[in-house]
Amino acid sequence: MRYYLDTNILIFTFFSEDKTDKLSNETMDILSDYGNLFYTSSVCMGELLHLYKSNHIEFKKSNIKNAQKILDAIRDADIKIMPVTENHLHTYANLEIEYDRHNDPNDHLIIAQSISDKIPVISSDRKFKLYENQGLKLVLNKR
């Protein structure tokens, strides 16, 4: 099966010291299944690089010493970075945004990309559930 990985899942999976307290059993099972294919949005990578470069996250136990190493780690894990396309933007244009409860434009693009590509997204963000009625297939990483 194919899955998109949200930014928080990338951080927990590849750059956290202890995965077991951050990833649910369901998420761990999905990530450890060699039959699954994993993708992430270029939006997630932009967020991840920004968080690192602005010192909002630190990779203590990994060999990440610069932003380029983040890209190398994602590539080495066989996660394909998917660009946002015009088709995704059409889905985004039609997405009914829950602004009063969820006002993150990056998340909205990630959600639109997942809906458009018909690929479930794994995320710890409970606000993603607001979009399941619009076609989002969500695997909620319950921590």
Side-chain angles (χ1 to χ4, degrees):
M1 185 141 176
R2 302 177 302 159
Y3 294 93
Y4 269 113
L5 303 179
D6 191 16
T7 310
N8 53 62
I9 301 300
L10 293 173
I11 293 169
F12 299 155
T13 303
F14 298 103
F15 308 112
S16 289
E17 290 186 37
D18 185 12
K19 298 173 180 53
T20 56
D21 68 333
K22 305 228 188 272
L23 297 173
S24 68
N25 289 336
E26 179 185 14
T27 300
M28 292 286 281
D29 288 345
I30 291 169
L31 293 172
S32 63
D33 185 337
Y34 291 108
N36 290 330
L37 299 172
F38 299 105
Y39 306 91
T40 194
S41 173
S42 57
V43 175
C44 293
M45 291 307 301
E47 287 181 325
L48 188 60
L49 292 168
H50 173 76
L51 288 168
Y52 177 78
K53 292 177 80 143
S54 62
N55 295 318
H56 284 91
I57 56 172
E58 181 180 339
F59 303 128
K60 296 177 183 171
K61 204 174 176 187
S62 69
N63 64 348
I64 304 298
K65 304 296 184 228
N66 59 54
Q68 184 60 48
K69 294 286 187 187
I70 295 171
L71 294 170
D72 295 343
I74 297 300
R75 182 197 62 235
D76 293 346
D78 289 326
I79 298 171
K80 184 171 173 135
I81 300 170
M82 303 297 286
V84 174
T85 66
E86 185 177 343
N87 192 42
H88 299 136
L89 294 173
H90 283 288
T91 302
Y92 181 44
N94 291 312
L95 194 66
E96 293 178 31
I97 305 297
E98 299 285 344
Y99 284 115
D100 57 328
R101 297 185 296 180
H102 187 220
N103 194 18
D104 185 331
N106 285 335
D107 282 355
H108 300 153
L109 268 172
I110 294 163
I111 289 165
Q113 193 166 2
S114 177
I115 292 170
S116 181
D117 292 345
K118 297 179 176 55
I119 297 175
V121 63
I122 304 173
S123 179
S124 297
D125 191 333
R126 295 183 187 281
K127 293 178 182 173
F128 278 37
K129 289 183 77 54
L130 297 168
Y131 302 92
E132 288 180 310
N133 64 341
Q134 295 184 62
L136 180 68
K137 293 181 177 97
L138 173 65
V139 176
L140 184 62
N141 178 56
K142 299 176 189 161
R143 301 186 280 153

